[in-house]
Amino acid sequence: MSELGARVAQALAPGGALARTWPGWTARAAQAAMAQAVAQTIEGGGALLVEAPAGSGKTLAYLLPWLLSGRRALVSTSTHVLQRQLAERDLPRLASATGQPVRVALLKGRGRYVCLARLQAAVDQGPRAGVPAEHAWLRELLAWAERGGDGDLDQVAGTDAIAGLHGRITSTSENCARQACPRWADCHVERARRAAQAADVVVINHHLWLAELQRHRLGRPRLLPEVDVVVFDEAHALHGLRAQLGAEAFDQAALQRLWADLAALAEGPLRGLQAWRLLAHDGQSATRALAQALAALPPREGRQAWPLGDRLAPWRLAHAVAAAQAALTASGEADPRPRRLLERTRSMAQVLHTLLSSEDPSAVWLDWRSPEDWTCLRPATQGQDAAALALATAAPLGARCVVHASATLGLDDALGWHRQALAVDAAWSPRALRLVAGDQDPSAAALFVPDDLPEPAEATHAQALAERIVPWIARLGGRCLVLATTRRAAQRIAQALQARARPGWRVWLVGERPTHAALEALRRAGGAAPTVVVASGALWQGIDVPGEALQLLVIDKLPFAPPDDPWLRQRLARAQALGADPFSEVQLADAAMALRQGVGRLIRRAGDRGLIVIGDVRLRRRAYGPALLAALPPSRWLDTEGEVDAWLGELAALTRASTTDRSTS
């Protein structure tokens, strides 16, 4: 065993540093094996793919060897929630436990931070006609942003208000005044970037990593520092970014920022050179018209081939973008700002040209979340092997050691699902390690699939599921997390639960409330207010709510990707070309991995107990049901309502006993 391996083993030993100082820590065989594999990769270089079960301590297993190595690292994870969990909880705890001081920086994209100058300008402009409450909210936001902290908008309640005002309260690389800004010394973005350059470890999210790759592709200066070690936590989530590599794209928020920046030119040294306000007005009208045309469909939530057959609305937007591009080109020599805006209009123009000129609807994709939140994307057609290799290996940062860690990387020891989903060139030869939690108690969780719910495609499904779980929530005093496959389903379930909530219940819908606040409310469950958190997307993976705070996990339906997803279709075609069965190798495997991620939110520590409810009768009725069940962690199968009632009684008794023990200790 190497020196680093020996130090890792000593720290993880039953009497080691973690056992003495880490809250609730226990020795785990899978964690120790993963930590040794990471240590070996750090020392020898290369790439490691490692799958370890949910709750086996993956985070410590990759952080500890890095910390003891003394090398500089970057950790990329899948969500902003996990970023904060790593930077504000896990890393400080580990540094304290091992006595190894470490400088940690959390870095997000520019659009996640308040711009003090633009926010102050929005406040100074006074209330817009008919929206006085918005102005009061902006004043409160400014007071919050100036009290200190990092200016991270993810910590602010009222995400709907932020979505409508995002362009007025955040900056872009084009409208940022940099050193000329009167608030430069207090700029949250610059502070975060300076901290990242000075840190021992930088914690980012996968979307920021994708943005860094795009900067590298365009020859722009790098934002992230050179590091020795890169860890992709929740590495399975890189699959969703694979389709965006090298793509040209714009979103609704980017359009709104463009028109706002164009209108702002009327106030500066370029005023009078062009009809900036008229150009911006035409662009805003065209953007609204396109959003309204899309909303009238309405498109399916998520990624899809461009669904709008009528090309009038895209043509209006293309005309507005072309007019802006011509005006900016004509004024480019007078000021650097038009030159920076030109790059955005060129990218938008290329996407819109493809949309209007191609007869292939899959030539342009729509990623639809709401009328205020959508993306139009033209996928890349060349250079994908090199781009995918950069995504997986972190070569642009000069790292000699790369670790991909997740609870869901494959169904075989070679972890082929992960490699195939990334579609990385065959020259990439990482080491693969698949671990099993031998100490996991199969009786810790019980699984119930109600056999009389409507099929998930039926309109009454969400309401019926909510009605079914209300008595179970009451029995456990809350302690419930509901994971939905779409935002729309999450909203419907939350509304149904709120309509049936008992007095004193708290039903938190993530999106209406900040994610971190909802998680903290759940972690504090067990008091006077029974808590239910309903979420989609980010909370399916990585989050940690151990102990009695979470005893009921509800998944609304099987997480199959929509069959018309254009990226899925490309993967299906690739699997077929390789002689594999597309359904089992891609669609079924994807669903199994996503379902395993969701189920993994329940049992996080030795002694955890709970009930998993999957509200999808297809698990009982379809031929693929056993294959999906086999991919899940071992659990106790409940077949009847009577068995569920008995299990809930056991859980309630354990909770009462634990509460009594704490109160008398």
Side-chain angles (χ1 to χ4, degrees):
M1 184 180 292
S2 67
E3 179 184 352
L4 177 58
R7 295 179 65 195
V8 168
Q10 184 178 18
L12 290 173
L18 294 177
R20 294 193 302 269
T21 59
W22 190 271
W25 185 87
T26 56
R28 305 173 203 177
Q31 183 183 63
M34 176 176 169
Q36 288 297 330
V38 173
Q40 182 180 348
T41 307
I42 290 174
E43 289 188 310
L48 171 69
L49 311 183
V50 56
E51 178 185 281
S56 60
K58 289 184 298 297
T59 302
L60 282 184
Y62 69 71
L63 287 179
L64 178 64
W66 156 74
L67 184 60
L68 295 179
S69 76
R71 305 192 184 195
R72 199 176 196 195
L74 178 137
V75 178
S76 179
T77 193
S78 58
T79 68
H80 298 118
V81 176
L82 293 177
Q83 274 187 271
R84 286 208 165 271
Q85 184 172 298
L86 280 164
E88 297 179 355
R89 191 185 70 173
D90 297 336
L91 276 162
R93 278 185 183 178
L94 185 59
S96 175
T98 58
Q100 299 279 339
V102 60
R103 294 171 297 178
V104 181
L106 187 153
L107 184 62
K108 300 182 180 181
R110 177 188 289 274
R112 313 303 300 191
Y113 299 95
V114 166
C115 173
L116 291 169
R118 291 176 67 80
L119 177 55
Q120 182 68 66
V123 171
D124 292 343
Q125 287 170 6
R128 295 187 298 171
V131 284
E134 177 183 281
H135 190 244
W137 186 86
L138 286 171
R139 289 198 303 269
E140 292 177 8
L141 183 63
L142 180 61
W144 167 82
E146 291 182 327
R147 281 198 296 269
D150 56 13
D152 183 353
L153 285 169
D154 290 328
Q155 301 182 73
V156 180
T159 54
D160 290 340
I162 292 174
L165 294 167
H166 193 271
R168 299 179 65 196
I169 63 177
T170 61
S171 67
T172 67
S173 58
E174 290 79 14
N175 63 32
C176 175
R178 296 173 174 78
Q179 288 89 340
C181 176
R183 306 302 300 268
W184 177 256
D186 303 322
C187 176
H188 294 299
V189 174
E190 289 304 313
R191 283 183 173 180
R193 290 179 176 177
R194 289 194 297 269
Q197 293 297 325
D200 300 310
V201 57
V202 184
V203 182
I204 66 168
N205 59 74
H206 296 338
H207 287 279
L208 185 59
W209 174 237
L210 177 66
E212 183 75 346
L213 290 180
Q214 304 286 43
R215 294 177 65 88
H216 179 74
R217 182 176 64 88
L218 296 171
R220 293 179 179 176
R222 193 171 56 211
L223 291 180
L224 299 175
E226 287 193 1
V227 295
D228 299 311
V229 180
V230 172
V231 178
F232 292 109
D233 189 15
E234 305 297 333
H236 63 277
L238 292 172
H239 303 175
L241 303 183
R242 176 65 178 79
Q244 302 176 41
L245 285 172
E248 298 283 355
F250 62 85
D251 56 28
Q252 192 267 355
L255 285 167
Q256 296 294 355
R257 289 195 300 269
L258 173 65
W259 308 130
D261 294 344
L262 207 64
L265 295 179
E267 305 297 332
L270 297 179
R271 60 183 181 275
L273 289 182
Q274 302 287 342
W276 301 117
R277 287 197 177 91
L278 180 59
L279 289 166
H281 177 268
D282 290 347
Q284 289 166 344
S285 298
T287 301
R288 283 195 299 271
L290 179 56
Q292 289 167 1
L294 290 170
L297 294 172
R300 172 184 56 76
E301 185 178 326
R303 185 172 50 213
Q304 57 211 278
W306 186 260
L308 191 62
D310 181 4
R311 303 202 174 182
L312 177 59
W315 180 88
R316 281 189 60 190
L317 181 59
H319 181 76
V321 169
Q325 188 174 355
L328 291 166
T329 301
S331 307
E333 298 300 322
D335 190 276
R337 283 178 294 176
R339 292 196 296 272
R340 294 198 294 264
L341 290 173
L342 258 178
E343 185 175 319
R344 285 157 66 190
T345 61
R346 288 190 182 118
S347 177
M348 293 173 182
Q350 288 170 355
V351 178
L352 290 165
H353 173 74
T354 301
L355 174 61
L356 293 170
S357 61
S358 175
E359 296 301 320
D360 179 6
S362 65
V364 173
W365 300 351
L366 174 70
D367 192 355
W368 178 266
R369 294 166 290 277
S370 74
E372 295 78 32
D373 186 9
W374 49 269
T375 301
C376 184
L377 180 146
R378 184 183 73 166
T381 56
Q382 296 179 346
Q384 288 299 283
D385 286 343
L389 196 60
L391 176 71
T393 64
L397 298 184
R400 62 186 301 275
C401 163
V402 177
V403 176
H404 289 224
S406 173
T408 50
L409 291 183
L411 296 170
D412 59 0
D413 290 341
L415 304 178
W417 174 76
H418 182 57
R419 288 192 51 154
Q420 291 166 10
L422 287 178
V424 177
D425 185 271
W428 189 48
S429 301
R431 176 189 173 198
L433 177 64
R434 189 175 187 224
L435 297 167
V436 177
D439 55 351
Q440 186 168 343
D441 181 3
S443 66
L447 173 63
F448 182 58
V449 180
D451 60 1
D452 56 351
L453 287 175
E455 289 266 348
E458 296 182 35
T460 57
H461 176 263
Q463 180 176 334
L465 177 61
E467 290 175 350
R468 178 61 59 87
I469 66 176
V470 162
W472 303 336
I473 293 170
R475 186 80 178 272
L476 294 174
R479 309 174 195 275
C480 177
L481 172 63
V482 180
L483 296 177
T485 50
T486 66
R487 291 184 181 185
R488 189 174 301 169
Q491 291 169 349
R492 289 174 177 171
I493 293 170
Q495 290 168 358
L497 287 175
Q498 288 163 351
R500 292 158 180 78
R502 312 286 173 84
W505 283 21
R506 295 184 299 184
V507 179
W508 292 60
L509 174 61
V510 172
E512 290 182 353
R513 304 286 188 95
T515 305
H516 75 95
L519 282 177
E520 283 306 309
L522 190 58
R523 290 180 180 128
R524 293 193 301 269
T531 300
V532 182
V533 172
V534 185
S536 61
L539 269 66
W540 275 75
Q541 54 197 0
I543 62 162
D544 193 26
V545 185
E548 299 165 4
L550 177 57
Q551 292 184 322
L552 176 58
L553 175 72
V554 180
I555 293 176
D556 71 330
K557 63 180 181 178
L558 298 177
F560 279 109
D564 61 344
D565 183 323
W567 174 240
L568 174 65
R569 288 185 172 184
Q570 288 186 19
R571 291 179 56 213
L572 292 172
R574 184 171 183 268
Q576 188 166 20
L578 294 173
D581 176 57
F583 176 73
S584 62
E585 293 294 325
V586 179
Q587 289 172 288
L588 191 61
D590 285 3
M593 296 297 100
L595 192 61
R596 191 196 295 176
Q597 277 287 339
V599 167
R601 297 316 99 213
L602 183 63
I603 304 300
R604 307 297 299 175
R605 302 288 188 274
D608 287 1
R609 296 288 186 272
L611 173 65
I612 302 162
V613 177
I614 302 177
D616 195 328
V617 295
R618 292 178 295 177
L619 263 177
R620 289 179 176 265
R621 300 175 183 173
R622 300 292 194 272
Y624 54 70
L628 290 174
L629 291 172
L632 301 181
S635 59
R636 175 179 170 184
W637 174 264
L638 304 180
D639 202 46
T640 67
E641 293 272 357
E643 292 175 355
V644 171
D645 188 66
W647 177 249
L648 291 174
E650 291 182 35
L651 294 178
L654 287 170
T655 301
R656 287 193 298 271
S658 175
T659 304
T660 302
D661 290 344
R662 287 198 302 269
S663 65
T664 58
S665 61

